[in-house]
Amino acid sequence: MSPSDAPSSAPAPRGPVPGEPRPDRGGEPGDGTPGDGAAQDGAAQDGAAQDGAAQDGAAQDGTAQDGAPGGGPPQEGAPDGEGAGALSPAAESLLAGFTTHLAVERGRSPHTVRAYAGDVRDLLRASAARGAEDPRDLDLALLRSWLAGAGPGSPTSSRPSARPPARPPARPHARATTARRAASARAFTAWLARTGEVDADAGARLRSPRTGGSLPGVLAAGAVAQVLAAAAEAAEDGDPAALRDAAALELLYATGVRVGELVGLDVHDVDRTRWTVRVMGKGAKERVVPYGAPADAAVGRWLERGRPVLAGPRSAGALLLGVRGGRWDQRAARDVVQRISAKVASRHVTPHTLRHSAATHLLDGGADLRSVQELLGHASLATTQLYTHVSVERLRSSYHQAHPRA
């Protein structure tokens, strides 16, 4: 087994890969997949919750916000997260209906559905601890108290405590997590009102904090070239895993796709005659992204000399494979990027670093914002505009270094 496919020490993922549009695209058990594991490709990060939760742009390299984060998987709002005790049958029924609404009617990704359902479950547990056993009793004061993280019986609680807190108050949530939790609550109360369960939407006036404008980390074009050259050099001996790694890095930078989208690609998604890949992104939204000659050459070598060696009964149509023939795990992909880049880069590099770098280099090269938005699969142009800030900062730095009157 190559180092790139060594089992990760991170906790096993709880569900399917973010943005995964088809059940047959899930990873195989032998490859440690699927994982929506690491943040990023966001954390809530990469803009996972599209009702106002954190967007893809901010703090992708190890902080909350792909997914995922949009971009990383939500932790505080997980079904077995905060709050203890079972929900009432009425609450369970409403939660199940809301979850179905998100998945079927609104077409949210499995990652987003799990995040919202976990947040709402935590909200209902906290509400029950404050005496509001029926979800229909939710009001704005209760929502605000829960969003602020106030424990049962605290001064900010709107109802008397039904029982003492089960554990000491947790540390405050990150801004991105609070934004996602607010979006989850608003979506739930809006659904209650729309389905006639309540007369008025209690969460219509619920506000969440801004997630901030952290600038994404990027590599200079020369640094990216060194990383890609290191991957190509490692593949010169024809090792199948090294050929796959080189193709993966070339595609990440050439297309700017998220790591979950990369490992979800099938062979037929790559059109080598037109140099494009068909990507299924968040919310099952499909887009076609072009790539260049270096990426095509790396993909060609992988398809001709690497994939046939690793392919087996479990491969199906997956483009990138693990050493045991199953669909490649995105945690393994992250490990590969970090391992190869560590040889030449002076900073920590993740798949999202390559995504950010691709977007920034496109804008620096003259690409218009709308084109970059389409390439990255951003639902909002405001997310893409984050990369213009990076370019402006670089321009300001160059100006101060070079202009005699700066």
Side-chain angles (χ1 to χ4, degrees):
M1 182 182 296
S2 68
S4 63
D5 294 285
S8 171
S9 61
R14 291 184 173 178
V17 176
E20 201 83 297
R22 299 190 286 271
D24 62 321
R25 286 194 170 195
E28 296 295 335
D31 293 296
T33 21
D36 54 17
Q40 289 77 33
D41 277 32
Q45 311 10 351
D46 225 288
Q50 297 178 6
D51 291 293
Q55 293 182 354
D56 163 327
Q60 306 284 356
D61 294 311
T63 58
Q65 166 82 43
D66 211 195
Q75 295 175 358
E76 293 93 276
D80 58 345
E82 292 182 14
L87 298 179
S88 67
E92 286 286 4
S93 176
L94 289 175
L95 179 58
F98 175 64
T99 302
T100 301
H101 160 72
L102 291 175
V104 177
E105 298 179 26
R106 300 188 63 177
R108 293 295 188 237
S109 71
H111 177 71
T112 301
V113 172
R114 188 171 60 257
Y116 275 39
D119 290 335
V120 172
R121 180 177 293 277
D122 184 56
L123 167 62
L124 296 179
R125 284 172 171 168
S127 301
R130 292 173 172 84
E133 294 283 350
D134 193 328
R136 300 171 185 83
D137 292 335
L138 288 172
D139 57 28
L140 183 59
L142 231 173
L143 292 173
R144 286 172 172 169
S145 177
W146 167 77
L147 192 62
S154 70
T156 56
S157 297
S158 62
R159 301 175 185 272
S161 175
R163 59 175 176 265
R167 65 182 73 177
R171 61 181 176 81
H173 296 302
R175 279 174 168 263
T177 301
T178 302
R180 189 204 69 229
R181 286 159 63 86
S184 303
R186 285 195 299 267
F188 180 63
T189 57
W191 175 77
L192 289 176
R194 189 164 52 251
T195 55
E197 296 290 345
V198 295
D199 295 330
D201 181 0
R205 293 189 293 129
L206 183 66
R207 296 292 177 262
S208 56
R210 293 182 178 273
T211 56
S214 302
L215 299 182
V218 298
L219 294 176
V224 175
Q226 289 180 330
V227 172
L228 298 178
E233 182 180 355
E236 287 179 352
D237 61 358
D239 176 67
L243 290 169
R244 177 207 58 207
D245 298 345
L249 265 70
E250 286 283 2
L251 282 175
L252 283 170
Y253 178 63
T255 63
V257 296
R258 305 172 177 98
V259 66
E261 295 168 344
L262 173 75
V263 300
L265 290 175
D266 284 338
V267 173
H268 62 73
D269 290 330
V270 181
D271 186 342
R272 296 194 61 206
T273 61
R274 300 172 58 194
W275 288 4
T276 61
V277 291
R278 185 174 70 248
V279 180
M280 195 68 73
K282 291 181 179 295
K285 294 179 181 178
E286 185 177 279
R287 67 186 189 275
V288 176
V289 183
Y291 61 82
D296 184 67
V299 170
R301 288 189 290 270
W302 158 246
L303 291 176
E304 295 162 11
R305 297 159 47 196
R307 190 179 186 280
V309 177
L310 299 182
R314 299 162 52 214
S315 301
L319 174 64
L320 301 174
L321 306 176
V323 294
R324 285 173 285 184
R327 187 179 294 275
W328 203 27
D329 177 27
Q330 58 175 297
R331 289 182 298 173
R334 290 189 183 95
D335 290 342
V336 164
V337 172
Q338 294 171 13
R339 174 174 53 81
I340 293 177
S341 61
K343 301 176 181 178
V344 294
S346 59
R347 53 158 295 180
H348 181 71
V349 178
T350 69
H352 237 89
T353 307
L354 297 179
R355 175 173 164 88
H356 290 161
S357 301
T360 302
H361 297 164
L362 281 167
L363 291 170
D364 286 345
D368 65 274
L369 206 57
R370 288 286 183 185
S371 297
V372 177
Q373 177 191 8
E374 179 68 22
L375 185 143
L376 296 180
H378 287 159
S380 170
L381 188 63
T383 306
T384 315
Q385 286 176 328
L386 185 67
Y387 298 99
T388 65
H389 301 164
V390 178
S391 297
V392 169
E393 288 298 320
R394 185 169 298 176
L395 176 62
R396 181 179 290 111
S397 176
S398 299
Y399 176 84
H400 283 295
Q401 289 179 7
H403 198 287
R405 307 284 288 185

